[in-house]
Amino acid sequence: MVESERRHHGPRGGRKRRYREDDDYDRRQRRRYEEPLVVKVRRQLLTIAESAARRAEDDVVSIAKSVTENYEDEELRQTYVDITVDLSLEQPLKIPFIAATVLVANAYKPELASDVIKKASVYLQHYIDTGAWREVKLLLRFLGCLQLVFEGSGIFSILEELFARAVDLQTASSEDLLGLELVKIILFTIPYVMASPATGFEAQAAALLEKTDIIASTPHALVDLVKPFGSEHGDPSGEQSIISLLQTQLQEESNRNWELACLPRPWKGGRDSEEEQRPFDSGGKHTFPQIVVPNPVQNGSRAIFPEVYFSVYANQEIETVPPMSDISSSLLRDSLVDTINTLDFNRIATAKYLIDVDCYFTPHMFVKRATPFDKLRDMSGDRATWKPEDVAVDAVFSQLFQLPSPEHKLVYYHSVLTECCKIAPAAIAPSLGRAIRFLYRSLETLDLDLSHRFLDWFAHHLSNFGFTWKWSEWIDDLELPLVHPRIAFITGALDKEIRLSFAQRIRGTLPDPYQGLITEGKEKDTPDFKYSFDTTPYASEGNEIMQLIRKKATDEEVQPIIDAIEGQAKSMGVEDPMLPSTDAFVTAICFVGSKSLSHVLSCIERNKERLLAIGPKSPHARRQIITSVMEYWVDQPGIGINIIDKLLNYTILTPLSVIEWALVDRLQAGIILAKTHIFEMITATVGKVTNRLRQIVAARTQQGLYEPQLSVLDETLKREKADMKALFKLIEDSIISVAGGSNDELMERGDGSGDLPEDEIIRQWGRRWLRVFQRKANVEESFIAEAMATATTVGTNAPPPQDEATATGVLADGDLDVADADGVADVS
Amino acid sequence: MTEVAPRNTVERLDRPSAYYMGKNKRRKYSDDTEKPREEPTDNLKDATTLYVGNLSFYTTEEQIHELFSKCGEIKRLVMGLDRFNKTPCGFCFVEYYTHQDALDCLKYVGGTKLDERIIRTDLDPGFEEGRQYGRGKSGGQVRDEYREEYDPGRGGYGRAYADDQRQREEEEYGKGK
């Protein structure tokens, strides 16, 4: 990719000779240029702990001294204060190091620490008010690391207050998740307080832990919903909720005198050129900032679901990631996941921090980067065998496989793994290989939604790396029955690869035994038009319609041929004559439009009226449209489902018709459930419905909405919600018979015993489908319920005019801003 | 009173490119009217369209669709064509329904591979008729006129460059004769 390299030199091309002089001039300039102190401190702060070649402890001292010695330099001071808080929010891995600079600075200039604390507390108040709980967690962590400089019990007072709110929420409702989130925040703050240089808080920590136990250890009803593995075959990784896991780990740790081996202590042993670092407990003490926790607290924009601990490296013969019994597993994971999710705007930076994970925790916790897995075997017993790249990659997978859905689009997590692989291929590629093998082996029990995410990531990832994969190791599996999840994965992955590339290219990447999977039809750009064979019924009419569509003929010209087909069909006793006429019409559109998506779209656009008229006349003919599209593109189903998607947008198809087509007409005793493109099609269709409903909910719950619009929107919401429920009901009803093995056709297969090996596999597909769509139904249902809880009730009229002016004024500014201003006033 | 306005500690990938900003700056200076002009980023604040560059001439709409729909539903896809022979010439416009989808695409897809080439994405104020054609002398994109490297995915050597080479060879051949 010569081009991509070139782009770094700017649009004019950096290699051109005439710019040489400019370069030289720049270089001379640079030599004489002395970096202002503020620039130096800024850089030191932003890159703190990033390099294994520098001692972070020394940078800590150097930064603290630079800023305290020049305290009057307002720009420097302000830069320091701002960046400390910005980094705490955006790069949690650096919090202990940033906090260390404050601890050291406090010994020289307590005013500086006071400035930092003030700013952090204003931010903290804001995030508590707006329910941005990750930000709250990170700022509390930062302040927790500073426990030493606070008077009295310091941070514990706010932890106690948060706990009180959690208890209220839990008492009010057994379904409460926000209270659990608060407990999670408390639990993730404690270890940082206990690892900090502050001493004498063991009793308070233990007391708090005792209180959180009952909430943290009680499993939430929704935990089952988000488990990555089906319950039927046991849980490969245990799958405790993150919060109950952490509760146990913390109790263990308190029994071990808060060893917290993985957390760095960068305030120890820092050296500056001339003198030893001043003992930091000599500095002044500060009152812990007064923070008002609203009662009750609110949740912000991020939906909360229970989380379970997921690892693709669990149960390996050699431990390459911390085991769940070790608190390091939770602490590392938490920091990495927050890093991944906050830095979604720069995947390259994210990847870099992930690769550098070993810089941010206790040195020697990990083996050297890129140590091959086989080498770990030779290492002596007591030493840690954790591979930094496994820990990093595991954290990305935990998000990619987060149920019901991760914070960002799935493709973000793909892109992070791609970047990691680009930065450190030798380290990352083998780790990904082991992850892929684990996931492949788990295909039968992995949640179906996650299997699909795995498939999608796998194909996309390979497309970034020349489609190289060791396919030879799965050759034996090609003997498995066609409905086996592994065969479904292989064929599905190859199909996705082809969609991102082309058949011939993918064929070239495959060993011989796989060649049969790339059929001749997949290599054809234009699939055959069945009416060009005389043996096809209605061949001449089909051809005629095709010619007319190609000529962009008018609807009137097409009608006689449609009539001819329907006449013939009637005379042959076809029950619904619209089926063969629709087939000819739609197949012709597919053929004429086969050159590209825009070709088929303009064909559909031109024949929109006739297509729209089909459904209302005959529901069967409407489903025939789907049959015709999917049969024309049978070898490239990706194109087929794309067209179906567009037909839904045109309302030529209805979501219900798509479900009926797949799960009623074509269920084939459940065999269709093994087809990955059918899952994709149904998921996309359901996604369209739920997206639309969420938009309606957003409209219905917007502030400042009054009658009569209120009732209009409420009606729409009720109607569409009922439609959505009907859709989910149909899916459930169709699949439940397969899952339970009571489907008539399924029972008639083979000897009718339902005991064939394939029968059990099909029942398993049924159960996995069921779980996915029941979850989706649940999630949407609770989303609507939650959103509507605070919505204006129907019948509310606009307040009288003079009030309206002020009310809308407030709304236009965003009511949150007003609340913030109050919060700020309270602390300052 | 402290304002709550955290600043990013690393660069954002969802900003308009230096190329876009530079293009507008140049225009700004050549224009000598005194009236205040729009900031170049203003017309991008709700942009839903992306310019996509460095595609192979052989990359299809379906391939583009497959990758770009990972960031959201695609509203419209316009292939860049050679002005004269109306064949793909290595760029396209992808339009999403929402601004956020376009930003996500910049962050997650720009700079990754499609059809085994690193593609470039840039926020675009919106497609207008005529912009689907290459602006180079011979009908394709300008960058393909003078390219000195051989790029099999984009028609070999740059067209003007290749013409130059041919002429030089012919001249040298003539000298030898």
Side-chain angles (χ1 to χ4, degrees), chain A residues 430-441:
Chain A
S431 291
L432 290 184
R434 263 179 297 113
I436 290 167
R437 289 178 190 103
F438 166 79
L439 291 164
Y440 180 79
R441 281 197 307 273

Side-chain angles (χ1 to χ4, degrees), chain A residues 226-230 237 239 308 310 401 403 445-447 450 771:
Chain A
V226 300
K227 284 190 172 175
F229 294 96
S237 63
E239 294 173 7
V308 293
F310 177 83
F401 294 134
L403 285 173
T445 51
L446 191 61
D447 182 274
L450 302 186
R771 191 177 142 76

Side-chain angles (χ1 to χ4, degrees), chain A residues 3 90 344 347 505 598, chain B residues 9 61 107-108 116 143:
Chain A
E3 264 69 26
E90 218 165 67
D344 86 291
R347 60 177 198 262
R505 170 76 179 99
S598 9
Chain B
T9 55
E61 275 182 45
K107 292 184 287 183
Y108 313 149
E116 305 182 65
R143 51 170 287 206

Side-chain angles (χ1 to χ4, degrees), chain A residues 293-314:
Chain A
V293 184
N295 197 3
V297 292
Q298 298 293 328
N299 188 33
S301 54
R302 287 187 284 266
I304 304 174
F305 282 96
E307 297 160 281
V308 293
Y309 190 83
F310 177 83
S311 172
V312 292
Y313 301 113

Side-chain angles (χ1 to χ4, degrees), chain A residues 1-4 6 15 46 82 86-87 90-91 122-123 126-127 343-347 353 408-409 411-412 415 422 456 460 464 466-467 499-501 505 596-598 639 642 645-646 649 688 824, chain B residues 1-13 19 26 54 61-63 65-67 70-71 73-74 97 100-101 104 106-118 143 147 149 151:
Chain A
M1 299 299 111
V2 185
E3 264 69 26
S4 66
R6 241 180 86 175
R15 296 155 304 140
L46 284 172
D82 289 346
D86 290 341
L87 272 176
E90 218 165 67
Q91 300 190 38
V122 171
Y123 273 50
H126 168 81
Y127 292 122
L343 289 181
D344 86 291
F345 55 85
N346 189 332
R347 60 177 198 262
Y353 296 135
H408 300 291
K409 289 171 182 156
V411 63
Y412 167 55
S415 77
K422 270 160 100 177
D456 200 46
H460 185 204
N464 271 283
F467 295 103
R499 280 153 70 173
L500 286 164
S501 182
R505 170 76 179 99
S596 75
L597 197 60
S598 9
I639 298 182
N642 230 332
D645 195 77
K646 302 298 175 198
N649 289 352
K688 253 187 217 304
V824 171
Chain B
M1 199 170 64
T2 316
E3 213 187 317
V4 178
R7 271 180 304 186
N8 293 134
T9 55
V10 296
E11 189 200 337
R12 297 191 67 95
L13 301 183
Y19 170 78
R26 280 202 295 282
N54 198 37
E61 275 182 45
E62 281 70 18
Q63 284 170 287
H65 205 279
E66 181 69 23
L67 180 64
K70 291 185 192 296
C71 290
E73 192 175 343
I74 293 170
Y97 283 94
Q100 189 56 49
D101 288 348
D104 286 347
L106 283 178
K107 292 184 287 183
Y108 313 149
V109 170
T112 68
K113 280 188 182 176
L114 175 59
D115 219 358
E116 305 182 65
R117 301 174 64 91
I118 303 250
R143 51 170 287 206
R147 184 162 30 77
E149 299 87 4
D151 185 344

Side-chain angles (χ1 to χ4, degrees), chain B residues 28-29 74 80 97 105 129 133 136 149 152 157 169 171:
Chain B
K28 203 183 223 167
Y29 289 135
I74 293 170
Y97 283 94
C105 190
E129 184 52 35
Y133 299 116
E149 299 87 4
Y157 290 111
E169 271 166 32
E171 277 164 16

Side-chain angles (χ1 to χ4, degrees), chain A residues 622-643:
Chain A
R622 179 165 6 222
R623 268 128 71 187
Q624 176 63 47
I625 299 177
I626 310 176
T627 307
S628 301
V629 172
M630 295 309 285
E631 275 178 2
Y632 182 75
W633 288 109
V634 65
D635 287 310
Q636 295 176 65
I639 298 182
I641 55 180
N642 230 332
I643 297 174

